[in-house]
Amino acid sequence: MEATSTCPSYSARDYKSEVKPVWCPGCGDYSVLGSITKALAELSIPPERVALVSGIGCSSRLPAYTNVFGFHGVHGRALPIATGIKVSRPELTVIASGGDGDGFSIGGNHFMHACRRNVDMTYIVMDNEVYGMTKGQASPTTAPDWEKSKLTPQGTGINPFHPLVIALAAGANFIARGFSGDQNGTAQLITEAIRHPGFSFVQLLSPCVTFRPEQRDWKDMVHPAAVDPTDDPARAARRLMTDDGFNVGVLYRGSRKPFQPERQASVDSVADLEKEFVL
Amino acid sequence: MTARSVSITFAGSGGAGVMTAGNMLLDAAGRAGWYAYMTRSSGAQIRGGEAAAMMRLSTSPVQSHDDHFDVLVAIDWQNVGRFSAEIPMTSDGLVLGDPDGGDFPEQIGAKGARCADIPFKKMAKEIEGGRPNMIALGAVAGLVGLPEDAVLGVVRDSLAKKGEAARTASEASVRAGMAFAAGLPACPRLAAAEGQSERLWSITGNEAAGLGAVRGGIRFVAAYPITPGTEVLEWLAPNLAKLGGVLVQAEDELASINQIIGASYAGVPSLTATSGPGLALMTESLGLAVASETPITVVNVMRGGPSTGIPVKSEQSDLNIALYGLHGDAPHLVVAPNSLADCAFSTQWAVHLADSLQTAAIVLSDQSLGQSRATIAPPLDPGFRAIRLMPEGEAAERYRRYTNTASGVSPMAVPGMKGYQYTADGLEHNEYGTPSSAAADHSAQLDKRLRKLAVHDYGQHWADIEGDGDIAVLTWGSTTGPVREALERFRASGGRARLVSIRLISPVRPEQLAAALAGVARVLVVEQSHGAQFHRYLRAHYDLPGSVRAFHRPGPLPIRPNEIFRQLADWS
């Protein structure tokens, strides 16, 4: 746990491992991996001082492809693991990553409470509106009329989840949307998200070319947010509720104090605690 | 008439102060050198329901209730009849109640005990600020022969912050109760306390578990409240902070177990506490801790099940889920405290084992241990600490987190250690931690995770073994208390029998148990479970000698010493 003596500079390559990804050719997640490693190089954080946590799904495979301390946990629970790491070791840079099913369906409760708790960490969701690893089922962000899943052949018929609005309502301190196809722009968003105190949420539109080939068109649909980010939740809510889902950039910057319990001992030893039991 | 043990119940409606009276009696007995034990029972209401403080005072350490109660004091009778099954009275027991305290319950009256009146309300009115529960406390203290100064000392200390008036009124109430007791029918008085060389502690099992946790080195706790485990967490919240540790209240049990996995992965010994429904939610991630070899400890305070079951009552029925609830082949530790004081030792030992062996440990306590309070000799710190094997020096080559060592334990790096970056994984993996579905990797890692538990030297702590003879009583957890007492009576009546109380439930120790049972012709298995879960576990993993009988029944009523004694005495 020793601190590094000087401040060496790093390149994105220093954050990559030699493990070959399981992703399909053309998957948006390759580019996200590049954006994350570029952001870490930009921030010049020593790889051993970064913890990258994920759940289960295609995008959750990401930690093994990096050279930082990784944790590939169970489905939906990346945020609690990341919370435990950050609260117990606040000097680490903690990132959680995963997909839309992992984060908004099975992990939905943790998403809300992580926003609310506002621990200083960054949550990157690679959103492709589909469960890819299980071969193409509708996720919480899938449109209600998508009929390509064998599980819901008539479409889900239910409204998609709006993660940015939920994040804002639940108390996230930084909200951004990016597109995986813009690797440098996304790296910049991630850099800002890591720098911003408290819980930063970054939704990355990351196409699934296998089960949602139509998402290749996203590159023509995304557009930079027309206005500067706001720190006013009411204004941010209005914008997020009415945007077209392809508005990319930093959309909200809050100033809520991050959750970080004091860790200052007031007794010398456990024996001091035992006095309360003595009759 | 003096006795070495006297049992008393305070009962009344919510707010009548029966728990306060019970706690004060316990502390006063402890200060005067007696051992005391108290369990609580209450109705389902959050506030205002009927409540009972069931006490036992004794000249020697006491771990469970006796067969019967000698005295029942009802501050009022509202719904007290509901406790009748929990308060079996001796045939000449004394039932004390207020004639103005409502209708005397038929169920209590049917027991044939002697009845006497104490006009609590009337007496309290005659004292300015008088309290019926303090009159009851004084009456019981007078009946059993507790010294007045011990009781008044506790009253003064307990009410120090309530002001002069409250203290004076309570002292006067206690004195009035003691004076009234002189005219009551006699009940057994406690024999003189056997001089204690040190001051006793007043502690609950849940507090003891918390103490064991911090003694073992736990410095991160994630908490989601659940009856009857909450007090472990509530004790830890302020005390961890004093030690510079952290407790986080989680959004659910899925979060709490994953938070502790995260904190432990980051290098901080971590624990959570829960009860059956919470343990069920945690089982998937217990498997993650096993597969990723991340040490964690989960204290599970058992209650009646299945489903929501009986949250406020005890049962030993989470044994199966603790042992077999994890999917896949997932060897892990299951440790069971067998007395209130042992909650401290067993939790601390579990924390030490979890970190030493880099796996998940479940501590199986139960409501009757966790929520009971007793005066005990101060439990010494046995010295077990959470110490992890970590890599040393600079990383020469790519770090093999899951090196297949002879001991099965491989050096575990934590974030911050340069050159030792790896990805912990619940996916099967190779020695580097890289996901692998290769048969050779799966087999090697399964063997490694099994081997590290199998080859570890657990010393003598795997079980408590007492006595000799060709009869053995085999038990675990909280039923050990009544078994110990039954065996004392059996020996006093000329019998010979041994006790084997298994503390290390998993991994199993078949050779050690075989040695402990050498020469045994009859084995009596005792447990508080409808489905005989412990008996089936023994049958699956051990060879039991001679003929075997299983005495098992569910909660909520505790198994009492005479039931076990009868099993032994009648088995001829």
Side-chain angles (χ1 to χ4, degrees):
Chain A
M1 281 176 245
E2 77 287 357
T4 42
S5 50
T6 54
C7 195
S9 67
Y10 295 93
S11 72
R13 190 180 305 173
D14 294 323
Y15 299 91
K16 282 191 179 155
S17 77
E18 288 162 15
V19 179
K20 191 176 173 293
V22 294
W23 298 323
C24 308
C27 175
D29 296 349
Y30 284 103
S31 186
V32 175
L33 174 61
S35 297
I36 292 172
T37 57
K38 280 185 175 177
L40 292 171
E42 165 74 22
L43 292 162
S44 218
I45 306 168
E48 69 273 13
R49 298 177 73 83
V50 178
L52 177 51
V53 185
S54 68
I56 293 296
C58 298
S59 55
S60 288
R61 289 291 193 122
L62 196 136
Y65 310 144
T66 71
N67 183 37
V68 302
F69 273 91
F71 204 120
H72 184 207
V74 298
H75 197 23
R77 318 289 167 225
L79 288 171
I81 290 183
T83 301
I85 295 173
K86 183 66 183 182
V87 170
S88 60
R89 295 281 307 279
E91 76 279 16
L92 300 172
T93 297
V94 178
I95 303 167
S97 71
D100 38 302
D102 187 75
F104 307 144
S105 195
I106 190 167
N109 194 36
H110 308 309
F111 176 53
M112 282 194 300
H113 289 277
C115 293
R116 192 185 142 233
R117 195 175 282 119
N118 200 30
V119 170
D120 184 17
M121 60 186 184
T122 298
Y123 184 35
I124 299 168
V125 173
M126 287 153 262
D127 192 343
N128 55 14
E129 301 175 3
V130 75
Y131 286 90
M133 191 150 269
T134 48
K135 312 273 186 277
Q137 295 79 27
S139 88
T141 50
T142 304
D145 56 354
W146 184 66
E147 297 176 349
K148 299 281 172 60
S149 168
K150 289 180 189 168
L151 208 52
T152 50
Q154 277 81 48
T156 64
I158 51 177
N159 270 348
F161 190 86
H162 201 322
L164 280 68
V165 174
I166 303 273
L168 182 73
N173 217 26
F174 177 99
I175 297 171
R177 183 191 285 128
F179 172 56
S180 65
D182 176 12
Q183 192 175 72
N184 289 332
T186 296
Q188 195 52 43
L189 287 180
I190 294 170
T191 304
E192 282 193 56
I194 292 172
R195 278 199 180 121
H196 194 83
F199 187 78
S200 299
F201 172 55
V202 184
Q203 180 197 34
L204 295 179
L205 305 176
S206 180
C208 174
V209 296
T210 300
F211 297 105
R212 305 296 305 265
E214 70 280 14
Q215 291 174 348
R216 289 179 192 275
D217 296 342
W218 279 358
K219 64 179 182 300
D220 302 321
M221 297 162 75
V222 293
H223 52 86
V227 289
D228 287 338
T230 175
D231 61 356
D232 175 4
R235 183 173 296 186
R238 222 166 19 249
R239 286 185 191 166
L240 293 174
M241 288 297 285
T242 54
D243 88 359
D244 61 358
F246 293 96
N247 218 9
V248 301
V250 179
L251 303 170
Y252 174 74
R253 268 199 200 99
S255 53
R256 232 157 40 87
K257 191 171 175 284
F259 174 88
Q260 183 58 56
E262 285 294 317
R263 296 183 312 150
Q264 189 65 47
S266 61
V267 295
D268 293 331
S269 70
V270 173
D272 289 334
L273 306 178
E274 297 170 1
K275 292 170 189 158
E276 72 164 284
F277 300 123
V278 180
L279 280 169
Chain B
M1 179 175 60
T2 62
R4 295 172 55 80
S5 163
V6 178
S7 295
I8 305 124
T9 292
F10 291 100
S13 55
V18 300
M19 296 305 173
T20 305
N23 277 324
M24 286 186 179
L25 185 72
L26 181 130
D27 285 356
R31 285 193 190 188
W34 281 293
Y35 292 91
Y37 172 82
M38 167 178 155
T39 58
R40 312 155 63 101
S41 192
S42 53
Q45 299 93 327
I46 306 300
R47 289 265 187 242
E50 62 282 6
M54 292 173 253
M55 325 267 316
R56 185 178 186 189
L57 312 184
S58 173
T59 56
S60 52
V62 53
Q63 300 178 352
S64 60
H65 279 303
D66 205 343
D67 304 327
H68 301 98
F69 288 86
D70 302 292
V71 183
L72 164 62
V73 193
I75 294 166
D76 61 62
W77 287 114
Q78 193 186 339
N79 294 331
V80 168
R82 290 186 191 169
F83 293 124
S84 62
E86 292 176 63
I87 318 169
M89 298 293 295
T90 50
S91 55
D92 60 347
L94 190 56
V95 177
L96 303 171
D98 190 337
D100 298 328
D103 296 334
F104 181 76
E106 296 289 319
Q107 307 96 308
I108 303 278
K111 290 170 185 288
R114 298 168 297 157
C115 295
D117 290 341
I118 307 188
F120 290 119
K121 279 185 186 159
K122 210 173 280 177
M123 288 170 71
K125 271 185 193 151
E126 288 163 12
I127 301 163
E128 194 180 335
R131 298 268 302 158
N133 67 329
M134 292 295 103
I135 296 170
L137 170 64
V140 169
L143 278 172
V144 303
L146 273 189
E148 186 182 83
D149 56 349
V151 184
L152 293 179
V154 168
V155 170
R156 274 194 289 274
D157 291 353
S158 305
L159 300 177
K161 288 178 187 160
K162 299 258 169 122
E164 180 77 24
R167 207 176 62 230
T168 312
S170 287
E171 285 179 75
S173 302
V174 168
R175 285 203 185 92
M178 289 188 107
F180 194 89
L184 286 170
C187 86
R189 291 172 71 84
L190 266 176
E194 292 154 10
Q196 309 302 331
S197 57
E198 53 194 340
R199 289 172 69 181
L200 299 180
W201 284 16
S202 168
I203 192 168
T204 69
N206 279 344
E207 291 169 344
L211 176 64
V214 293
R215 277 178 167 180
I218 292 296
R219 291 298 180 271
F220 181 85
V221 170
Y224 191 79
I226 183 168
T227 304
T230 310
E231 297 90 354
V232 179
L233 304 163
E234 286 180 337
W235 186 84
L236 282 165
N239 287 296
L240 260 185
K242 288 177 193 164
L243 292 165
V246 175
L247 179 141
V248 177
Q249 182 172 338
E251 55 270 29
D252 54 31
E253 285 93 345
L254 306 166
S256 53
I257 189 158
N258 280 282
Q259 284 188 12
I260 67 170
I261 289 172
S264 176
Y265 166 80
V268 179
S270 300
L271 167 145
T272 188
T274 189
S275 187
L279 182 67
L281 288 173
M282 291 179 185
T283 50
E284 182 193 19
S285 295
L286 278 164
L288 173 62
V290 169
S292 66
E293 303 198 47
T294 311
I296 54 163
T297 302
V298 176
V299 178
N300 182 61
V301 186
M302 294 183 285
R303 63 194 219 183
S307 189
T308 314
I310 311 180
V312 295
K313 305 282 176 170
S314 207
E315 198 167 78
Q316 294 179 314
S317 51
D318 291 350
L319 181 64
N320 280 352
I321 188 177
L323 283 167
Y324 313 117
L326 283 62
H327 62 279
D329 288 313
H332 59 282
L333 297 155
V334 179
V335 175
N338 62 27
S339 72
L340 190 151
D342 193 38
C343 290
F345 177 92
S346 284
T347 305
Q348 185 173 359
W349 191 45
V351 166
H352 162 75
L353 291 176
D355 264 66
S356 303
L357 299 172
Q358 298 175 20
T359 192
I362 299 172
V363 178
L364 276 184
S365 176
D366 66 27
Q367 187 272 341
S368 78
L369 298 173
Q371 292 194 321
S372 296
R373 177 172 290 280
T375 64
I376 60 171
L380 294 177
D381 181 347
F384 294 115
R385 297 288 180 271
I387 295 172
R388 256 179 234 180
L389 181 65
M390 291 170 80
E392 288 174 5
E394 294 236 339
E397 47 158 3
R398 194 177 159 210
Y399 171 49
R400 291 172 188 250
R401 163 67 184 97
Y402 301 106
T403 308
N404 202 349
T405 59
S407 70
V409 178
S410 36
M412 178 179 179
V414 298
M417 296 175 72
K418 191 177 175 183
Y420 286 102
Q421 297 95 302
Y422 74 101
T423 291
D425 212 318
L427 275 174
E428 191 56 282
H429 42 258
N430 61 20
E431 288 191 327
Y432 296 104
T434 307
S436 167
S437 54
D441 287 330
H442 188 40
S443 161
Q445 293 295 320
L446 284 170
D447 285 347
K448 169 192 192 298
R449 295 191 291 259
L450 182 65
R451 185 168 67 248
K452 65 182 181 179
L453 297 194
V455 304
H456 186 77
D457 179 6
Y458 299 92
Q460 298 304 303
H461 306 300
W462 71 277
D464 283 353
I465 302 162
E466 295 157 14
D468 54 18
D470 66 357
I471 299 180
V473 182
L474 205 42
T475 191
W476 73 288
S478 64
T479 44
T480 305
V483 166
R484 276 201 171 104
E485 190 153 348
L487 285 173
E488 275 173 35
R489 294 181 198 175
F490 188 61
R491 289 177 197 127
S493 71
R496 283 176 65 214
R498 57 182 100 170
L499 163 74
V500 180
S501 172
I502 299 183
R503 181 180 289 107
L504 184 67
I505 308 283
S506 173
V508 294
R509 308 276 87 195
E511 286 173 22
Q512 284 85 344
L513 184 64
L517 296 179
V520 162
R522 284 178 285 183
V523 176
L524 175 66
V525 178
V526 177
E527 62 179 309
Q528 192 180 24
S529 139
H530 185 261
Q533 295 184 14
F534 182 62
H535 181 218
R536 291 171 194 277
Y537 151 85
L538 292 169
R539 290 292 198 181
H541 301 289
Y542 297 91
D543 288 327
L544 299 180
S547 57
V548 178
R549 279 191 187 173
F551 176 63
H552 64 96
R553 64 168 167 74
L557 295 180
I559 291 180
R560 298 193 187 271
N562 64 344
E563 297 178 83
I564 302 160
F565 176 78
R566 287 258 60 86
Q567 293 284 328
L568 292 169
D570 294 348
W571 193 359
S572 53

